[in-house]
Amino acid sequence: MTLHLGKATPLPQSPEEAVLDYVPNPRPGRNYLVRFVAPEFTSLCPVTAQPDFAHLVIDYVPGETIVESKSLKLFLGSFRNHAAFHEDCTVGIGARLVAEMSPVWLRIGGYWYPRGGIPIDVFWQTGAPPAEVWVPEQGVPSYRGRG
């Protein structure tokens, strides 16, 4: 039973308040890749409280459960007023999914837009992906500005 699917659900006020829903893997015993892309992720700078923007790519090979996409969207949206450094947001999202969902493998790429003229990209994964799983490139180019 999911808390969010098919129901009007307000945006959680913080990542800690957000509840992620997980449902049974519809293809247990098979290794396959699931990709979520959040091209308009936002959080706040913990020093200046100015908004930070990122393009997130989350790839995972499910174990016994998969994350329900509406709950993931609400969880990611809850960072809108959350103050944290890029590294904390990116790795924290991946670590929470791993802790709660126990995937076979997970990686997250956080492609952050420049802050102070320097783009910061953050990558984290749980280890090597299963050998038989096709893991495409994340396809997000490094920030080039106007050039």
Side-chain angles (χ1 to χ4, degrees):
M1 186 84 171
T2 61
L3 296 175
H4 307 296
L5 194 59
K7 301 172 182 109
T9 310
L11 188 66
Q13 293 300 303
S14 70
E16 296 78 25
E17 180 185 308
V19 176
L20 286 157
D21 284 337
Y22 301 95
V23 297
N25 180 351
R27 296 289 180 176
R30 290 187 186 234
N31 283 335
Y32 61 94
L33 186 87
V34 177
R35 172 171 287 172
F36 287 103
V37 178
E40 297 176 346
F41 179 84
T42 60
S43 65
L44 297 177
C45 172
V47 177
T48 66
Q50 295 294 311
D52 286 321
F53 302 90
H55 183 133
L56 298 182
V57 181
I58 302 167
D59 293 323
Y60 75 96
V61 175
E64 293 183 18
T65 62
I66 59 174
V67 65
E68 190 279 314
S69 62
K70 181 178 179 182
S71 73
L72 180 64
K73 184 182 348 179
L74 291 167
F75 171 59
L76 295 177
S78 74
F79 282 82
R80 185 172 296 153
N81 295 313
H82 178 73
F85 290 112
H86 302 337
E87 297 83 354
D88 187 35
C89 289
T90 306
V91 176
I93 290 166
R96 176 149 175 204
L97 288 167
V98 168
E100 293 182 10
M101 182 173 48
S102 299
V104 172
W105 175 80
L106 182 140
R107 78 172 173 188
I108 183 169
Y111 302 85
W112 292 83
Y113 292 90
R115 177 195 291 168
I118 300 173
I120 301 171
D121 295 336
V122 181
F123 307 100
W124 182 76
Q125 69 182 28
T126 58
E132 73 280 7
V133 174
W134 175 46
V135 182
E137 292 297 319
Q138 291 192 333
V140 182
S142 296
Y143 184 80
R144 291 192 49 215
R146 292 187 161 173

